[in-house]
Amino acid sequence: MIALSLAEIASVLGGELRLHGSDTAETIVSGVVDTDSRKMVPGAVFVAKPGEVTDGHRFVGSAVASGAVLAIVEHPVDDTVSQIVVADVIEALAALAKEVVARVRAKGDLRVVGITGSNGKTTTKNFIARILQDEGETVAPINSYNNEVGAPVTMLRVTETTKYLVSEFGASGAGSIARLAGLVEPDVVVVLMVGLAHAGGFGGIEKTAQAKAELIEAARRGGTAVLNIDDPRVAAMRPLAESREMRVVGFGRTDAADLRASDVEVSATGTTCVVHAGAEALPLRMQVLGEHHVSNALAAIAAAGALGIPAATAIARLETVEIAERWRMQPMGGDRVRIINDAYNASPDAMAAALRTLAQIAAPGQRTVAVLGAMSELGEADGEEHDRIGLLAVRLNIQRIVVVGAEARRLFLAAVGEGSWDGEAVHLPDQDAAFDYLSGELRDGDLVLVKSSNSAGLRFLGDRLGESFS
């Protein structure tokens, strides 16, 4: 965080400053800001967030022991550290992030990129950050820090020397993207796709589309909107962007795209295509697995172009990326059995894309194994979408379908109903049972995909399998 006095922070937050020890209102704070007491370092600011399971106010002491010099709280705690008492620490966190970014913008040339979409946000964020980091100091979220806590915490890592801030925006409901993106008013916004991820929480896919469009409404007037024109719901956001005097860059696989990919090929060593940028036809050879990542790469190249970085330069930097993110199409295992751990998240679109990748990259005669868990937050579409994935796995001729957990049982039943009934599909109650089964079932040469929503936790099963067969 930039250097601010305790008095300045209290003023920004509209809170009551309670000083401790030798601190004065003019004492300067410039450390990291976080809600996790385990991430405190000397000079840090601890935000005591109340939670459903525990309360951050209980951990002020441990935060101070690790070096925190200020606590932002909703009620006074013991007097071991200076505190600012506010009505709502989450609102205070947002207010502080907004102020810090505004001050850095006012003093320098900070440019902000905002990303949203039902799938691909974190991968695209990593792609964009990789391109930008060679241009200057770049701040981007760790993992998927894209909610009411993670997004402001990321923003607060900005300093006076930061050139680029890349923000990822998830949506917990209507208005959430507008609130978060409104803190920074991005110069460049990227909308990747509108799918069924979290659709149950929004009340349907059209409401999801409205939520994603909030990013455009929160962008700086006259900026750039990077839109996936292969997705009709995203393409339909063009008039909204144009009403805000924004330049629109469409990316996709069709001839209508401003930035287009052709000749896409997927193999066990990566993904290749030709990127058409104006009159240029540029080869792209990604180490990242999966045809679906071509769209994410196009979005990153387009966003970089909006910031003045040539497509050829962006492509050269993308080619150095080895994996999209931990637990996202992450190759594991060894020469005997190859594991692809893609179990950080799973919407129906992402699940289908991962299964198609498994089928595409398998060598002739190589046995494919899909270890699948539940997809969460689908609302009324839950049963139908699990059915669809079960059918797809069979139709892609995945030789072994291992379904884990009671919430995914319908996927298993759909696979059996489609013809995978002679031992090709099995249903196991939990990760331990699945690990035991797979330890005996997998054989030399197998190619294994592990895929589920985060809540199903199969990423840890993927780690165990990767270590076991390394």
Side-chain angles (χ1 to χ4, degrees), residues 61-421:
S62 60
V64 173
S66 297
V69 295
L70 174 65
I72 299 174
V73 296
E74 292 183 0
H75 57 77
V77 293
D78 59 63
D79 61 355
T80 58
V81 67
S82 292
Q83 302 160 48
I84 298 175
V85 183
V86 298
D88 186 314
V89 296
I90 299 302
E91 291 184 2
L93 183 65
L96 185 58
K98 182 176 183 178
E99 180 70 14
V100 166
V101 172
R103 291 194 183 201
V104 175
R105 271 192 186 273
K107 290 182 179 180
D109 60 351
L110 176 68
R111 305 293 296 280
V112 180
V113 180
I115 308 162
T116 195
S118 298
N119 301 113
K121 293 186 294 296
T122 299
T123 297
T124 304
K125 171 262 297 184
N126 287 338
F127 283 172
I128 293 173
R130 173 62 193 92
I131 295 168
L132 297 181
Q133 68 185 28
D134 288 352
E135 301 291 320
E137 181 181 314
T138 300
V139 171
I142 300 169
N143 300 322
S144 293
Y145 272 31
N146 60 26
N147 63 9
E148 63 180 3
V149 172
V153 164
T154 298
M155 296 167 189
L156 285 164
R157 289 168 45 210
V158 164
T159 69
E160 287 88 346
T161 56
T162 302
K163 187 171 184 179
Y164 300 107
L165 168 64
V166 183
S167 288
E168 176 184 339
F169 299 109
S172 58
S176 58
I177 291 177
R179 287 191 296 274
L180 293 174
L183 301 177
V184 292
E185 298 182 346
D187 303 280
V188 179
V189 295
V190 179
V191 185
L192 297 168
M193 66 173 297
V194 176
L196 284 170
H198 313 299
F202 288 98
I205 196 166
E206 297 304 331
K207 293 291 182 63
T208 302
Q210 292 173 19
K212 302 306 180 186
E214 291 173 8
L215 180 58
I216 297 173
E217 295 172 338
R220 283 204 159 186
R221 185 173 290 273
T224 301
V226 176
L227 305 179
N228 177 7
I229 64 168
D230 289 347
D231 185 323
R233 291 182 176 87
V234 178
M237 298 177 191
R238 176 185 287 270
L240 174 61
E242 291 174 342
S243 74
R244 296 185 56 76
E245 302 174 0
M246 301 182 75
R247 172 175 172 250
V248 176
V249 179
F251 67 91
R253 303 278 287 273
T254 68
D255 290 341
D258 301 298
L259 191 74
R260 179 172 64 89
S262 68
D263 304 303
V264 177
E265 295 184 7
V266 181
S267 72
T269 58
T271 308
T272 65
C273 67
V274 176
V275 176
H276 301 269
E280 295 182 294
L282 306 167
L284 169 62
R285 301 176 181 85
M286 290 192 294
Q287 301 178 62
V288 178
L289 300 176
E291 182 175 355
H292 51 296
H293 288 309
V294 170
S295 180
N296 299 330
L298 290 175
I301 295 166
L307 296 169
I309 301 170
T313 301
I315 286 171
R317 294 171 184 172
L318 282 179
E319 291 181 338
T320 68
V321 178
E322 295 182 357
I323 62 170
E325 178 82 50
R326 186 184 180 191
W327 298 318
R328 287 177 169 86
M329 300 303 289
Q330 181 180 3
M332 305 180 78
D335 294 336
R336 289 184 53 221
V337 175
R338 189 176 187 194
I339 312 293
I340 302 172
N341 192 350
D342 192 37
Y344 188 82
N345 227 328
S347 69
D349 294 317
M351 184 80 84
L355 285 170
R356 291 191 183 99
T357 298
L358 176 65
Q360 287 174 325
I361 69 176
Q366 185 176 29
R367 189 172 74 153
T368 52
V369 180
V371 183
L372 307 176
M375 301 176 288
S376 62
E377 299 182 58
L378 297 179
E380 294 180 355
D382 185 273
E384 178 183 344
E385 292 301 321
H386 281 89
D387 288 348
R388 187 169 70 87
I389 295 302
L391 297 177
L392 179 64
V394 176
R395 291 169 183 173
L396 288 171
N397 197 31
I398 307 300
Q399 282 93 345
R400 288 289 183 274
I401 302 168
V402 180
V403 181
V404 184
E407 295 82 0
R409 181 171 174 78
R410 187 156 168 176
L411 191 160
F412 163 72
L413 294 175
V416 171
E418 186 64 11
S420 185
W421 51 267

